[in-house]
Amino acid sequence: MTEPRRPRRPRLPLRLPAWTATLTWKAAVFIAVMCCALAALLGVLVHVAVTNQTVGQARERALSRLDDATEQYEAGGRLGPGAGLDPPGLPDRLRDLAVAGERGTMVGDHDRTPTVWAAGPADGGRAIAVEVDYAQGARTIDGLDRAILGSSVLAIGATLLVGAFAVTRVTRRLHLTARVAARISAGDLDARVHDPRTRDPHRHQDEVATVSGALDTMASSLQGKLLSEQRFTADVAHELRTPLTGLHAAAELLPPGRPTELVRDRVAALRTLTEDLLEISRLDARNERVDLDAVRLAPLAERVVRASGAEVELTVVHDLVVETDGRRLERVLGNLVANALKHGAPPVCLTVDGPVITVRDHGPGFPDYLVEHGPQRFRTEGTTKGHGLGLTIALGQARVVGASLTFTNVAEGTGAVATLTLPHDERPSGDEPGEVRA
């Protein structure tokens, strides 16, 4: 009975460390590869040229001695040292070439010594050959190779240091530009790069300075437009308060009836919208002051539930005392509960679990754009009534008190969840975890 084969685990892709994605590392690798390639190319060219010259000179000496040995052999004289007929150590290929009637040279070893052989034909199917000591030439080439290698290593190291210094200066400026862009994205419209190369218009600028200047110009333009919109919103809301106050007073004097109720309802809606616009303009101005105090979360949540005037389930898993602005926190929770009651479906649940407070409903959930990008003023979907200001104010007030507010939808069913996470110092509240329902 064959044993079932185990399924193969999928091979995970190779993940390099995060620092390998930096421009400095990539530039260093590129410079190192190019330096190595250039050093190898120059080294090979120099090695080949010097070797050809040295071997060529040795071959000429060997052929010259072969001519002298051949004349002595033909004259019947005695061959000198280093010459002979079929001497031991003569390479077979060179001997075969000489026996065939040709003259030639070959570089080889004789008694572990570099030698240049020269051989030519002799009578009786023999070869006359001479050997020339090539040890000095071999040492010269070896010394040249070591010098090429050492100088290449030094040149590559010096080039890497200079290149890394130059690239680091560029990447440092790029990192500064990226940090400023991140600050601008986070809402700090006063952030600027202030690259010194952009201050002098007559000075030639590199690409990094061009990007930095463009970012500063964009931030200034964006800041001017936003400030203009904020002033316009604040001015409009402020100018509407006086006539709306008078309109509200006049509506109270109207005789009872359905038309009067409609007028009062619309006037109240306009007053609420005007107050929301004023609050948003103050939040956009980022000059709100926080009145910190020790606030116990469970009683504050109870006040929010009572003020909603609706059936809201309050669950306190763990009560906590935090240093925060109670008025602003109550405003945040009130807006979240009001949004859940207006756009969601019952039951609406408010849960306090230490510094984490959640508001959940069982309606269709938040729109996709709100989950991905957060609430946007004056944007609603479908037939939903509202101006999108309640959640915008809640998010702004949460940022003022240093809290984090996120919006998600329930994965296993319908419903929207708003999660408020408050900053706290891990100080024990002294209360036992419990559960309270209202």
Side-chain angles (χ1 to χ4, degrees):
M1 183 175 181
T2 60
E3 187 176 323
R5 299 179 61 183
R6 297 180 179 178
R8 294 183 178 180
R9 295 182 178 179
R11 182 174 297 178
L12 297 177
L14 179 62
R15 295 180 62 87
L16 298 176
W19 58 267
T20 58
T22 61
L23 184 60
T24 303
W25 185 84
K26 294 179 180 178
V29 171
F30 176 77
I31 293 174
V33 171
M34 294 303 297
C35 288
C36 291
L38 182 61
L41 178 61
L42 293 177
V44 169
L45 292 177
V46 173
H47 174 82
V48 171
V50 174
T51 300
N52 289 339
Q53 181 180 3
T54 305
V55 173
Q57 294 174 355
R59 290 178 186 275
E60 290 178 359
R61 292 198 304 269
L63 289 174
S64 177
R65 291 188 60 183
L66 178 62
D67 292 338
D68 296 340
T70 301
E71 291 178 359
Q72 292 178 1
Y73 175 74
E74 291 177 349
R78 182 179 179 182
L79 298 178
L85 297 174
D86 294 334
L90 178 66
D92 294 336
R93 291 175 57 191
L94 185 59
R95 183 182 182 282
D96 295 340
L97 180 66
V99 171
E102 301 289 341
R103 299 176 59 185
T105 60
M106 180 176 291
V107 179
D109 290 334
H110 186 210
D111 294 335
R112 298 182 179 180
T113 302
T115 304
V116 176
W117 291 92
D123 57 356
R126 294 179 297 176
I128 182 173
V130 297
E131 58 177 313
V132 176
D133 187 8
Y134 185 62
Q136 182 62 35
R139 286 193 295 269
T140 300
I141 294 176
D142 291 341
L144 176 65
D145 292 341
R146 288 192 295 270
I148 292 174
L149 181 61
S151 60
S152 298
V153 171
L154 290 177
I156 292 173
T159 305
L160 279 176
L161 290 177
V162 175
F165 174 74
V167 173
T168 301
R169 293 188 62 186
V170 175
T171 55
R172 188 183 300 115
R173 294 166 59 197
L174 288 175
H175 286 314
L176 174 61
T177 304
R179 288 195 298 269
V180 171
R183 289 172 56 189
I184 294 173
S185 300
D188 185 7
L189 298 181
D190 294 325
R192 298 292 186 273
V193 180
H194 293 306
D195 194 315
R197 295 166 181 79
T198 61
R199 298 177 182 176
D200 186 3
H202 302 289
R203 182 178 180 180
H204 295 291
Q205 300 179 6
D206 57 8
E207 289 77 2
V208 180
T210 303
V211 173
S212 302
L215 180 63
D216 288 348
T217 303
M218 181 197 69
S220 299
S221 176
L222 180 62
Q223 185 180 32
K225 292 181 179 180
L226 290 179
L227 290 177
S228 178
E229 292 180 0
Q230 292 172 9
R231 286 194 297 268
F232 175 77
T233 302
D235 293 341
V236 169
H238 186 270
E239 292 298 327
L240 285 175
R241 293 184 73 180
T242 302
L244 282 176
T245 302
L247 188 60
H248 177 74
E252 294 296 330
L253 299 177
L254 293 176
R258 181 58 179 169
T260 300
E261 294 179 0
L262 293 176
V263 171
R264 292 176 178 175
D265 179 68
R266 292 299 88 196
V267 170
L270 282 175
R271 292 189 65 182
T272 302
L273 176 59
T274 302
E275 295 297 332
D276 288 346
L277 288 175
L278 283 173
E279 186 171 358
I280 287 178
S281 65
R282 290 193 297 268
L283 292 173
D284 289 340
R286 296 181 179 273
N287 53 8
E288 294 285 87
R289 295 183 178 180
V290 181
D291 297 327
L292 294 179
D293 195 6
V295 178
R296 186 173 294 277
L297 298 181
L300 186 142
E302 293 177 2
R303 291 196 301 270
V304 171
V305 171
R306 287 195 301 268
S308 66
E311 292 292 334
V312 177
E313 295 183 4
L314 173 61
T315 303
V316 179
V317 179
H318 175 63
D319 194 7
L320 189 68
V321 176
V322 297
E323 290 288 335
T324 188
D325 191 325
R327 180 182 63 85
R328 297 183 187 276
L329 179 58
E330 192 169 345
R331 172 71 160 154
V332 173
L333 295 181
N335 281 18
L336 295 179
V337 171
N339 182 82
L341 292 171
K342 184 175 182 180
H343 303 290
V348 175
C349 304
L350 175 61
T351 303
V352 178
D353 187 2
V356 180
I357 305 175
T358 59
V359 177
R360 177 187 174 179
D361 63 66
H362 292 74
F366 291 120
D368 293 337
Y369 79 87
L370 194 148
V371 175
E372 295 177 3
H373 307 290
Q376 301 177 21
R377 61 194 69 175
F378 296 107
R379 177 174 180 179
T380 55
E381 288 192 348
T383 59
T384 302
K385 295 181 180 180
H387 304 284
L389 300 181
L391 294 183
T392 303
I393 293 174
L395 182 60
Q397 295 288 9
R399 289 173 178 171
V400 171
V401 299
S404 171
L405 180 58
T406 59
F407 304 93
T408 57
N409 289 324
V410 181
E412 65 273 9
T414 59
V417 179
T419 304
L420 180 68
T421 304
L422 297 168
H424 68 295
D425 56 1
E426 300 291 342
R427 189 173 55 186
S429 63
D431 292 337
E432 293 294 330
E435 185 172 299
V436 179
R437 292 189 179 274

